[in-house]
Structure formats: structure tokens, C-alpha cells
Amino acid sequence: MNYDLNHCNNLDFIAKELQEREKNNNLRQLNSIHPQDAVTIIKNGKTLINFSSNDYLGLSKHPDLILASQNYTQQYGVGSTASRLVTGTYDIHRKLEEKLAKICGKESALLLNTGFQANMTILPSLVDQKSLVLCDRLVHNSILQGIFLSNARWKRYQHNDLRHLERLLKKAVLQGYNRILIVTETVFSMEGDCSDVDSLIQLSQQYNTLLYLDDAHALGIMGEKGMGLTAHKSGIDISLGTFGKAFGSFGAFITTSKLIRDYLINCCPGFIYTTALPPSVIGSIDAAIEMIPSLDQERKYLLEQVNYVQNKLKNLGYQVLGSTSPIIPVVIGKEEKAVKLSNFLEENGIFVTAIRPPTVPKNTSRLRLVLSSKHQQEHINYLINLLQNYHEH
């Protein structure tokens, strides 16, 4: 792709950036797909088995969610028409928040529009330039953006190294910050491994910090009744969940205390100034909540397949990170090698996106395999056979 630098004028920095990314095999482009079912898509007229979706339980195509979405649209219309503090709080929003709080074992819940928006706008509402934020080195970009906007001091502890976190806490409590916030993910989106939630709670209580946990990738597939790794645990000030992954829908929510909920309703710009989630989305989420607690067999099958795939790939000589979730990162290294393998799989009927810098560190480009409970054994074995053939040749 050629970008004409001679006629860009004050936009030449944009063309240069795009050219540099293309040169380094890091240029991203949008590719349209048409989903057929929970695990197959059509791309450029070709049917592919999808191993890149976060639809862990295949609920995005479930008829009960579709029907609930249609029914809510019929009853309430296609849009919520305003922000929550104007006329955008319908009875269905309130009832859904009450249901989420109850099933997660928390005092209250608050709906938000996306996980990215939530992290980016809640964090600056909790801390300021006199505060300190301590975060895992590999937290999601949305968390980093929220920290940047807060103007707080911040430090990163080594990935899942709570001894390092405690050393930072011991120093921090002596330095006069108005508050200290620990923030991390429970399941890391690019590594697939998990935080030690109980130890994080213990450290937070010991050093009197705020604790904010992003539970997006655990919700639906881990914890009691599949409600995540933070459900029914005290000592977490804010837990974030999203509905665009295992719930198969869209949107986000937090569970928290009534005090913090009331504070955010009054002081969180990303909540105050945005249109509420539409009724169709609320309907699909409500249907998913009714269903997810009963899907223990699907969760069991899914995690069994994770172990199966990891062991197979390790035996083939692939570098597979220590995932305990449906996210299985296969580290390839150089960007062009990851793209080449991704293209090979697509040519043979498998869709797996190559993840490259800056999403992951340089020289750690990877295939981010994501399993769904709807993947059949034949799908998984076909993927493994292709990776074996590629590795041998």
C-alpha cells in the first residue's frame, strides 16, 4: 500500500506512521467476515473455522438470546434515547443491575457501555495527581489509558509477581500518597493466565489500598456459576465484567459497593455523558444471565480442550504460554513469521489472527488461539494437524 508523502502536507506524519508499520509487518487493516454459526465464518467467499472469537460459550448465536433481544426491541424500541441520568434508565436497566449484583454476590452493580470505556473513565474518577497506581506489567491498554488520564503516579510490577507488588507497596505507604490503587486483570487477554485474586485481596487489605480487578475474560467461564473470579469475594472495591465475550452480547458492568456506585453516577464522565445501552442488548444480556449458571458441562468441556490443545502443541515444539483459560497464546516471534503462519491456516480453512506489536512486546508476535465450547473435537484435531504439518515443513 502506497501513501503519497508529497501531497499530505500537515498529515505527512500519518502517512509516515502507516508506511513504517507496513514495513515492519504491523499494518492493520479491516477484513469483513460473515458469521455462519458460533465457530464458523465466511471470509472472501470461503468458510473458515474461527479460532479467534471471544464467544467462549457460543451464546452470540443462541436462539434464546436472539429472541430476548427481539422481544425487548418490540417492547422498548431500538434505542434508549438518552444518558442514564436523563431518560435512559428504563426499568430493564435497573432490574438487570439488581440481578447482576445478586448473582455475583455483591452489594450493587452499574451498567456501562464497553469495558474499554469503563476502564478509561472509572480509573480517573478514583485517583488523581496525588495518588499512586500499581498495575501488572501486562494489563490491557484500556487500563493504561485510564491511568494516563488520571494524572496519577504509576508503577508496574512484574507480571503476576506479587512479591514485587508488595515491595512497591511497602515503599509507597511511606511516601504520603492520598490513596493507592492496585489494578490488574484476573485473566490476561494476551497471555491467558490468571491473577491470584485472593492474594491481591490480602495485600490490598494489608496495605489499605483500593483494589480494581478487570474480570472480563473470566466472566461466564470461571468462578461460582461461571460468574467470574471475583464473584462472591469481599475486599474488591470494583470488579469489571463485560458482555461481549462469554455472554455473547455487548456492554459492560461493574460490581461494587452502594457508596462507590453512587459516587460514580455523580462523578464518572464516561457514565454521565453517554447514551445508555439499547433495549435489544439488555434483553440478550438478561437471557444470558438466566442461562450461564447452568452451563457447567460446557465450561468443563472447554477447559478440558484447553489442556488437550496446549499439551499437543507443546509436544509439537511450539512455544505455548501457560494459559489456564480458553486463550492459548502460541508465540512465534517475528511479525512476518506469525503473519505467514496465520495466512497458511486461513488458506487451509482455519481463521486465527496474528497478534503483533504494539499489542504484544516486540519479537513475541503470536497466534492467539481461542477455544469455544462449540468447537467440536474434529475442529480442534484439524487445527492441530495443520500446525503439525506446518511445523514439520
Side-chain angles (χ1 to χ4, degrees), residues 354-380:
I355 306 296
R356 297 162 285 167
T359 305
V360 294
K362 190 175 181 181
N363 296 322
T364 69
S365 291
R366 64 197 63 180
L367 297 189
R368 181 180 177 270
L369 296 176
V370 186
L371 302 188
S372 167
S373 64
K374 297 300 182 182
H375 281 122
Q376 302 300 310
Q377 193 67 53
E378 62 193 55
H379 297 149
I380 291 170

mmCIF file of all heavy atoms in Angstrom, residues 354-380:
data_model
loop_
_atom_site.group_PDB
_atom_site.id
_atom_site.type_symbol
_atom_site.label_atom_id
_atom_site.label_comp_id
_atom_site.label_asym_id
_atom_site.label_seq_id
_atom_site.Cartn_x
_atom_site.Cartn_y
_atom_site.Cartn_z
ATOM 1 N N ALA A 354 -3.071 -13.177 13.738
ATOM 2 C CA ALA A 354 -1.720 -12.959 14.263
ATOM 3 C C ALA A 354 -1.723 -11.677 15.089
ATOM 4 O O ALA A 354 -2.137 -10.616 14.610
ATOM 5 C CB ALA A 354 -0.720 -12.849 13.118
ATOM 6 N N ILE A 355 -1.277 -11.779 16.320
ATOM 7 C CA ILE A 355 -1.203 -10.609 17.215
ATOM 8 C C ILE A 355 0.225 -10.099 17.215
ATOM 9 O O ILE A 355 1.171 -10.837 17.501
ATOM 10 C CB ILE A 355 -1.632 -10.975 18.642
ATOM 11 C CG1 ILE A 355 -3.019 -11.635 18.639
ATOM 12 C CG2 ILE A 355 -1.620 -9.736 19.536
ATOM 13 C CD1 ILE A 355 -4.144 -10.760 18.161
ATOM 14 N N ARG A 356 0.390 -8.809 16.900
ATOM 15 C CA ARG A 356 1.720 -8.233 16.710
ATOM 16 C C ARG A 356 1.897 -6.979 17.553
ATOM 17 O O ARG A 356 0.925 -6.464 18.099
ATOM 18 C CB ARG A 356 1.905 -7.879 15.223
ATOM 19 C CG ARG A 356 1.866 -9.073 14.287
ATOM 20 C CD ARG A 356 1.613 -8.641 12.853
ATOM 21 N NE ARG A 356 0.219 -8.263 12.634
ATOM 22 C CZ ARG A 356 -0.223 -7.614 11.548
ATOM 23 N NH1 ARG A 356 0.626 -7.270 10.598
ATOM 24 N NH2 ARG A 356 -1.495 -7.306 11.423
ATOM 25 N N PRO A 357 3.153 -6.472 17.672
ATOM 26 C CA PRO A 357 3.368 -5.209 18.375
ATOM 27 C C PRO A 357 2.549 -4.099 17.708
ATOM 28 O O PRO A 357 2.295 -4.165 16.501
ATOM 29 C CB PRO A 357 4.871 -4.968 18.208
ATOM 30 C CG PRO A 357 5.453 -6.332 17.964
ATOM 31 C CD PRO A 357 4.399 -7.065 17.187
ATOM 32 N N PRO A 358 2.079 -3.110 18.454
ATOM 33 C CA PRO A 358 2.381 -2.869 19.869
ATOM 34 C C PRO A 358 1.450 -3.587 20.848
ATOM 35 O O PRO A 358 1.562 -3.379 22.055
ATOM 36 C CB PRO A 358 2.211 -1.355 19.984
ATOM 37 C CG PRO A 358 1.121 -1.042 19.002
ATOM 38 C CD PRO A 358 1.332 -1.979 17.844
ATOM 39 N N THR A 359 0.537 -4.403 20.343
ATOM 40 C CA THR A 359 -0.363 -5.124 21.248
ATOM 41 C C THR A 359 0.412 -6.051 22.173
ATOM 42 O O THR A 359 0.059 -6.218 23.345
ATOM 43 C CB THR A 359 -1.397 -5.925 20.445
ATOM 44 O OG1 THR A 359 -2.085 -5.029 19.561
ATOM 45 C CG2 THR A 359 -2.413 -6.591 21.361
ATOM 46 N N VAL A 360 1.462 -6.673 21.643
ATOM 47 C CA VAL A 360 2.361 -7.521 22.440
ATOM 48 C C VAL A 360 3.781 -7.005 22.256
ATOM 49 O O VAL A 360 4.077 -6.287 21.291
ATOM 50 C CB VAL A 360 2.264 -9.003 22.009
ATOM 51 C CG1 VAL A 360 0.887 -9.560 22.330
ATOM 52 C CG2 VAL A 360 2.573 -9.176 20.525
ATOM 53 N N PRO A 361 4.706 -7.343 23.170
ATOM 54 C CA PRO A 361 6.081 -6.847 23.052
ATOM 55 C C PRO A 361 6.756 -7.309 21.760
ATOM 56 O O PRO A 361 6.396 -8.338 21.175
ATOM 57 C CB PRO A 361 6.773 -7.449 24.282
ATOM 58 C CG PRO A 361 5.674 -7.709 25.245
ATOM 59 C CD PRO A 361 4.486 -8.085 24.423
ATOM 60 N N LYS A 362 7.744 -6.549 21.330
ATOM 61 C CA LYS A 362 8.499 -6.858 20.124
ATOM 62 C C LYS A 362 9.098 -8.260 20.226
ATOM 63 O O LYS A 362 9.543 -8.698 21.283
ATOM 64 C CB LYS A 362 9.609 -5.826 19.933
ATOM 65 C CG LYS A 362 10.305 -5.906 18.585
ATOM 66 C CD LYS A 362 11.294 -4.771 18.425
ATOM 67 C CE LYS A 362 11.977 -4.847 17.060
ATOM 68 N NZ LYS A 362 12.973 -3.756 16.887
ATOM 69 N N ASN A 363 9.090 -8.962 19.098
ATOM 70 C CA ASN A 363 9.628 -10.322 18.978
ATOM 71 C C ASN A 363 8.823 -11.368 19.763
ATOM 72 O O ASN A 363 9.328 -12.451 20.047
ATOM 73 C CB ASN A 363 11.103 -10.391 19.396
ATOM 74 C CG ASN A 363 11.992 -9.578 18.479
ATOM 75 O OD1 ASN A 363 11.779 -9.538 17.270
ATOM 76 N ND2 ASN A 363 12.987 -8.912 19.057
ATOM 77 N N THR A 364 7.585 -11.019 20.138
ATOM 78 C CA THR A 364 6.700 -12.014 20.773
ATOM 79 C C THR A 364 5.383 -12.131 19.999
ATOM 80 O O THR A 364 4.356 -12.499 20.570
ATOM 81 C CB THR A 364 6.399 -11.678 22.241
ATOM 82 O OG1 THR A 364 5.567 -10.501 22.300
ATOM 83 C CG2 THR A 364 7.671 -11.470 23.046
ATOM 84 N N SER A 365 5.414 -11.806 18.714
ATOM 85 C CA SER A 365 4.201 -11.957 17.906
ATOM 86 C C SER A 365 3.705 -13.387 18.030
ATOM 87 O O SER A 365 4.495 -14.327 18.139
ATOM 88 C CB SER A 365 4.488 -11.610 16.444
ATOM 89 O OG SER A 365 4.739 -10.236 16.296
ATOM 90 N N ARG A 366 2.402 -13.534 17.983
ATOM 91 C CA ARG A 366 1.822 -14.832 18.329
ATOM 92 C C ARG A 366 0.509 -15.084 17.612
ATOM 93 O O ARG A 366 -0.129 -14.159 17.104
ATOM 94 C CB ARG A 366 1.568 -14.886 19.836
ATOM 95 C CG ARG A 366 0.527 -13.878 20.313
ATOM 96 C CD ARG A 366 0.578 -13.651 21.807
ATOM 97 N NE ARG A 366 1.846 -13.067 22.224
ATOM 98 C CZ ARG A 366 2.148 -12.759 23.479
ATOM 99 N NH1 ARG A 366 1.270 -12.999 24.435
ATOM 100 N NH2 ARG A 366 3.314 -12.239 23.783
ATOM 101 N N LEU A 367 0.150 -16.342 17.594
ATOM 102 C CA LEU A 367 -1.220 -16.700 17.264
ATOM 103 C C LEU A 367 -1.977 -16.795 18.583
ATOM 104 O O LEU A 367 -1.564 -17.495 19.492
ATOM 105 C CB LEU A 367 -1.284 -18.035 16.535
ATOM 106 C CG LEU A 367 -0.607 -18.139 15.168
ATOM 107 C CD1 LEU A 367 -0.955 -19.456 14.517
ATOM 108 C CD2 LEU A 367 -0.983 -16.985 14.258
ATOM 109 N N ARG A 368 -3.065 -16.084 18.644
ATOM 110 C CA ARG A 368 -3.896 -16.116 19.855
ATOM 111 C C ARG A 368 -5.067 -17.054 19.581
ATOM 112 O O ARG A 368 -6.124 -16.644 19.112
ATOM 113 C CB ARG A 368 -4.371 -14.709 20.204
ATOM 114 C CG ARG A 368 -5.219 -14.597 21.468
ATOM 115 C CD ARG A 368 -5.610 -13.144 21.686
ATOM 116 N NE ARG A 368 -6.475 -12.957 22.846
ATOM 117 C CZ ARG A 368 -7.808 -13.004 22.814
ATOM 118 N NH1 ARG A 368 -8.434 -13.262 21.677
ATOM 119 N NH2 ARG A 368 -8.520 -12.786 23.908
ATOM 120 N N LEU A 369 -4.837 -18.329 19.857
ATOM 121 C CA LEU A 369 -5.890 -19.325 19.689
ATOM 122 C C LEU A 369 -6.934 -19.142 20.784
ATOM 123 O O LEU A 369 -6.586 -19.023 21.964
ATOM 124 C CB LEU A 369 -5.328 -20.737 19.784
ATOM 125 C CG LEU A 369 -4.334 -21.196 18.714
ATOM 126 C CD1 LEU A 369 -3.836 -22.596 19.045
ATOM 127 C CD2 LEU A 369 -4.986 -21.179 17.343
ATOM 128 N N VAL A 370 -8.177 -19.128 20.402
ATOM 129 C CA VAL A 370 -9.251 -19.006 21.387
ATOM 130 C C VAL A 370 -10.257 -20.130 21.152
ATOM 131 O O VAL A 370 -10.798 -20.272 20.055
ATOM 132 C CB VAL A 370 -9.961 -17.645 21.297
ATOM 133 C CG1 VAL A 370 -10.977 -17.510 22.434
ATOM 134 C CG2 VAL A 370 -8.958 -16.505 21.348
ATOM 135 N N LEU A 371 -10.496 -20.909 22.186
ATOM 136 C CA LEU A 371 -11.421 -22.035 22.081
ATOM 137 C C LEU A 371 -12.819 -21.647 22.547
ATOM 138 O O LEU A 371 -12.994 -20.778 23.400
ATOM 139 C CB LEU A 371 -10.926 -23.216 22.913
ATOM 140 C CG LEU A 371 -9.545 -23.780 22.583
ATOM 141 C CD1 LEU A 371 -9.307 -25.064 23.363
ATOM 142 C CD2 LEU A 371 -9.375 -24.018 21.098
ATOM 143 N N SER A 372 -13.786 -22.314 21.970
ATOM 144 C CA SER A 372 -15.187 -22.165 22.359
ATOM 145 C C SER A 372 -15.736 -23.535 22.717
ATOM 146 O O SER A 372 -15.279 -24.562 22.196
ATOM 147 C CB SER A 372 -16.001 -21.568 21.199
ATOM 148 O OG SER A 372 -17.397 -21.693 21.425
ATOM 149 N N SER A 373 -16.735 -23.557 23.583
ATOM 150 C CA SER A 373 -17.368 -24.832 23.910
ATOM 151 C C SER A 373 -18.097 -25.414 22.700
ATOM 152 O O SER A 373 -18.485 -26.582 22.704
ATOM 153 C CB SER A 373 -18.353 -24.655 25.075
ATOM 154 O OG SER A 373 -19.412 -23.786 24.699
ATOM 155 N N LYS A 374 -18.270 -24.610 21.658
ATOM 156 C CA LYS A 374 -18.926 -25.074 20.438
ATOM 157 C C LYS A 374 -17.947 -25.683 19.435
ATOM 158 O O LYS A 374 -18.386 -26.229 18.409
ATOM 159 C CB LYS A 374 -19.691 -23.921 19.776
ATOM 160 C CG LYS A 374 -20.821 -23.355 20.626
ATOM 161 C CD LYS A 374 -21.861 -24.410 20.963
ATOM 162 C CE LYS A 374 -23.011 -23.814 21.767
ATOM 163 N NZ LYS A 374 -24.015 -24.840 22.143
ATOM 164 N N HIS A 375 -16.646 -25.576 19.687
ATOM 165 C CA HIS A 375 -15.696 -26.269 18.818
ATOM 166 C C HIS A 375 -15.818 -27.775 19.034
ATOM 167 O O HIS A 375 -15.729 -28.257 20.168
ATOM 168 C CB HIS A 375 -14.256 -25.831 19.127
ATOM 169 C CG HIS A 375 -13.891 -24.516 18.529
ATOM 170 N ND1 HIS A 375 -13.449 -23.444 19.284
ATOM 171 C CD2 HIS A 375 -13.891 -24.086 17.242
ATOM 172 C CE1 HIS A 375 -13.201 -22.420 18.490
ATOM 173 N NE2 HIS A 375 -13.471 -22.775 17.242
ATOM 174 N N GLN A 376 -16.014 -28.497 17.959
ATOM 175 C CA GLN A 376 -16.078 -29.943 18.036
ATOM 176 C C GLN A 376 -14.664 -30.520 18.047
ATOM 177 O O GLN A 376 -13.701 -29.863 17.643
ATOM 178 C CB GLN A 376 -16.862 -30.501 16.853
ATOM 179 C CG GLN A 376 -18.284 -29.965 16.755
ATOM 180 C CD GLN A 376 -19.107 -30.285 17.989
ATOM 181 O OE1 GLN A 376 -19.155 -31.426 18.437
ATOM 182 N NE2 GLN A 376 -19.764 -29.275 18.550
ATOM 183 N N GLN A 377 -14.548 -31.767 18.497
ATOM 184 C CA GLN A 377 -13.236 -32.406 18.537
ATOM 185 C C GLN A 377 -12.597 -32.441 17.155
ATOM 186 O O GLN A 377 -11.380 -32.270 17.010
ATOM 187 C CB GLN A 377 -13.362 -33.832 19.089
ATOM 188 C CG GLN A 377 -12.028 -34.457 19.471
ATOM 189 C CD GLN A 377 -11.392 -33.756 20.667
ATOM 190 O OE1 GLN A 377 -12.025 -33.601 21.699
ATOM 191 N NE2 GLN A 377 -10.141 -33.324 20.510
ATOM 192 N N GLU A 378 -13.396 -32.621 16.121
ATOM 193 C CA GLU A 378 -12.846 -32.666 14.756
ATOM 194 C C GLU A 378 -12.268 -31.320 14.342
ATOM 195 O O GLU A 378 -11.273 -31.255 13.618
ATOM 196 C CB GLU A 378 -13.924 -33.105 13.769
ATOM 197 C CG GLU A 378 -15.114 -32.162 13.680
ATOM 198 C CD GLU A 378 -16.306 -32.765 12.950
ATOM 199 O OE1 GLU A 378 -16.753 -33.850 13.345
ATOM 200 O OE2 GLU A 378 -16.779 -32.132 11.980
ATOM 201 N N HIS A 379 -12.886 -30.208 14.805
ATOM 202 C CA HIS A 379 -12.333 -28.879 14.530
ATOM 203 C C HIS A 379 -10.950 -28.741 15.160
ATOM 204 O O HIS A 379 -10.003 -28.252 14.528
ATOM 205 C CB HIS A 379 -13.245 -27.785 15.114
ATOM 206 C CG HIS A 379 -14.601 -27.730 14.522
ATOM 207 N ND1 HIS A 379 -15.712 -27.329 15.246
ATOM 208 C CD2 HIS A 379 -15.056 -28.014 13.282
ATOM 209 C CE1 HIS A 379 -16.783 -27.368 14.478
ATOM 210 N NE2 HIS A 379 -16.407 -27.781 13.281
ATOM 211 N N ILE A 380 -10.869 -29.149 16.410
ATOM 212 C CA ILE A 380 -9.626 -28.999 17.162
ATOM 213 C C ILE A 380 -8.530 -29.893 16.601
ATOM 214 O O ILE A 380 -7.378 -29.463 16.431
ATOM 215 C CB ILE A 380 -9.900 -29.287 18.651
ATOM 216 C CG1 ILE A 380 -10.777 -28.160 19.234
ATOM 217 C CG2 ILE A 380 -8.595 -29.418 19.436
ATOM 218 C CD1 ILE A 380 -11.320 -28.440 20.608
#
